[in-house]
Amino acid sequence: MARNPGLSSYAKDPKAAANSLVPLLEGAEGAVPQELQSETPLELGATTGLRMLKGNAAEKILQAVRDLVKNQSTFHTKDQWVSILDGTQEASYTWVAVNYLLGNLGKKYERTTATIDLGGGSVQMAYAISNKQFAKAPQDVDGKPYVHKKHLMSKDYNLYVHSYLNYGQLAGRAEIFKASRNGSNPCALEGYEGYYSYGGVAYKVKAPKEGSNWKRCRRLTRQALNVKAKCINEECTFNGVWNGGGGDGQDTIHASSFFYDIGAQVGLVDPKFPSAIVKPVQYLKSAKVACQTKAADIKTVFPNTQDRNLPYLCMDLIYEYTLLVEGFGLSRYKKIRVIRDVQYKNYLVGAAWPLGCAIDLVSSSLNKIRLSSS
């Protein structure tokens, strides 16, 4: 379960951050029988927003949450269960959740789907690779593995995972503004002038007199993504990151979060439905329309666009197209399914990492039980 606004929105008020979770606790207490609550583990994982807070703000918030859970909850919990997930965990849990809901877990890795989750602060890619690819998998620049072993539904998987911090949709805007060096920005809609705040920094945003230009915006986006970074391994995505080698586990792709949200705002996705098939080139076509529209007129052309995204619609669409095609190396005509929810039996379930975390924990526990009893 998730909560908006997130914990990071309360950087200066840890107690308010903790109290924002009370509705979630109450919801959980209503779902779990009272007699089982003391035996039911409760875990909280914070993600990108909290990871990016400066100083000790994140730890203060986590401690306030621990105190809240201890004092106001009857669930079984430990201090270490209230923590910040790293991007790799978040990405792998998303992959587990989506593949579980689709009924893929327990099948050969070739039958699983890759996942791309475009959040606000980071973007994550995860997909299963072959044993041959796993045998030659390198480590990242920090010496951490790109590939993790997963035992799920009696099946072993080699899961390639990478989280690109600072390359989510909202963070990506900041990277593009940095690349333009505070000059007029070709991604900004004609007639717009203002400030964009992210990570405690305010970036001046001013459109050129002649308006936005999708070609120049794309060049700036490629620069922000660092697509020409040196690749020390055989094949890379962007910013010098190993791409996992590709293969059957990447044949099918489910993309979530901002890919769905922005797609819905420009008509690529019908928000009445939990998912849709799109091609990267459709984001580019929508971008060309947005980029030639004045800021004052964009709501007329794309009436479903959220007000806070209006000045950045040209930029966001170019970013998503460039990320998919030049970042992750997908064909501009490749069919991908963008998702908000996944149909599971008679329910629509959010395509998010918390479910994957629970499944992974249960699978790990069952595996430990099997090992201890053998």
Side-chain angles (χ1 to χ4, degrees):
M1 299 174 72
R3 185 76 179 168
N4 283 313
L7 293 176
S8 59
S9 302
Y10 303 92
K12 297 181 179 179
D13 193 345
K15 188 173 181 180
N19 289 337
S20 72
L21 300 179
V22 170
L24 293 183
L25 281 176
E26 292 175 346
E29 289 168 353
V32 179
Q34 189 171 2
E35 64 271 18
L36 297 178
Q37 289 179 13
S38 62
E39 302 173 13
T40 302
L42 185 150
E43 182 169 346
L44 179 138
T47 54
T48 306
L50 220 58
R51 286 199 294 268
M52 297 182 70
L53 291 183
K54 297 178 181 179
N56 62 351
E59 181 52 38
K60 286 184 177 180
I61 289 174
L62 290 177
Q63 189 54 54
V65 172
R66 293 177 188 126
D67 294 340
L68 173 81
V69 171
K70 284 180 182 178
N71 297 329
Q72 297 189 33
S73 169
T74 57
F75 290 108
H76 174 50
T77 188
K78 296 180 180 179
D79 282 354
Q80 60 266 35
W81 292 355
V82 178
S83 62
I84 299 176
L85 295 181
D86 64 40
T88 297
Q89 290 174 301
E90 188 179 349
S92 65
Y93 292 155
T94 299
W95 183 89
V96 172
V98 172
N99 279 281
Y100 173 80
L101 293 170
L102 294 172
N104 294 338
L105 295 187
K107 297 178 180 179
K108 294 181 179 179
Y109 87 92
E110 298 97 323
R111 300 287 300 278
T112 61
T113 184
T115 55
I116 305 175
D117 184 22
L118 179 59
S122 61
V123 59
Q124 288 101 26
M125 160 72 84
Y127 68 98
I129 64 174
S130 67
N131 288 327
K132 184 178 180 180
Q133 289 168 274
F134 173 69
K136 60 179 183 181
Q139 295 181 328
D140 66 18
V141 292
D142 297 320
K144 297 179 180 179
Y146 279 109
V147 184
H148 301 263
K149 284 285 188 181
K150 291 284 184 183
H151 185 79
L152 301 158
M153 306 286 281
S154 303
K155 195 75 176 176
D156 290 321
Y157 295 100
N158 305 310
L159 189 61
Y160 164 83
V161 183
H162 192 75
S163 177
Y164 302 78
L165 186 61
N166 293 324
Y167 288 103
Q169 188 79 68
L170 305 182
R173 293 175 184 171
E175 294 301 314
I176 292 172
F177 292 135
K178 289 177 189 176
S180 65
R181 298 177 182 177
N182 282 329
S184 62
N185 192 292
C187 300
L189 297 182
E190 182 179 350
Y192 180 77
E193 184 173 356
Y195 287 88
Y196 175 71
S197 296
Y198 184 80
V201 179
Y203 301 90
K204 184 174 177 57
V205 184
K206 183 179 181 180
K209 290 182 180 179
E210 64 275 16
S212 53
N213 181 295
W214 75 267
K215 289 184 179 180
R216 289 173 57 207
C217 180
R218 190 156 174 265
R219 285 197 292 269
L220 202 61
T221 301
R222 294 176 77 251
Q223 183 181 338
L225 287 172
N226 201 14
V227 296
K228 291 186 177 181
K230 183 179 179 180
C231 183
I232 61 174
N233 301 299
E234 247 180 75
E235 300 170 276
C236 288
T237 52
F238 62 96
N239 203 30
V241 173
W242 182 56
N243 71 355
D248 295 335
Q250 206 179 25
D251 283 349
T252 304
I253 296 175
H254 283 67
S256 56
S257 299
F258 274 99
F259 285 118
Y260 181 96
D261 296 341
I262 298 297
Q265 290 176 41
V266 298
L268 301 183
V269 179
D270 186 340
K272 294 178 183 177
F273 295 95
S275 67
I277 295 291
V278 300
K279 300 173 184 177
V281 69
Q282 291 177 268
Y283 287 97
L284 179 61
K285 289 179 179 178
S286 295
K288 290 179 180 179
V289 175
C291 295
Q292 67 183 12
T293 305
K294 294 180 180 180
D297 300 329
I298 197 71
K299 194 79 171 180
T300 303
V301 180
F302 297 111
N304 292 327
T305 304
Q306 296 172 353
D307 290 345
R308 65 177 181 272
N309 293 326
L310 285 175
Y312 317 111
L313 193 58
C314 167
M315 173 184 293
D316 289 348
L317 289 162
I318 289 290
Y319 187 76
E320 292 188 5
Y321 171 78
T322 307
L323 183 63
L324 291 171
V325 174
E326 296 192 67
F328 292 124
L330 305 182
S331 164
R332 65 206 303 256
Y333 299 108
K334 182 175 178 62
K335 293 180 179 179
I336 61 176
R337 183 171 288 278
V338 293
I339 54 175
R340 179 191 62 211
D341 305 303
V342 178
Q343 183 78 41
Y344 180 75
K345 298 181 179 179
N346 295 324
Y347 301 94
L348 285 176
V349 182
W353 66 265
L355 173 63
C357 176
I359 294 168
D360 193 75
L361 287 171
V362 170
S363 297
S364 299
S365 298
L366 289 175
N367 196 39
K368 289 176 182 177
I369 291 172
R370 290 192 192 98
L371 290 173
S372 62
S373 60
S374 61

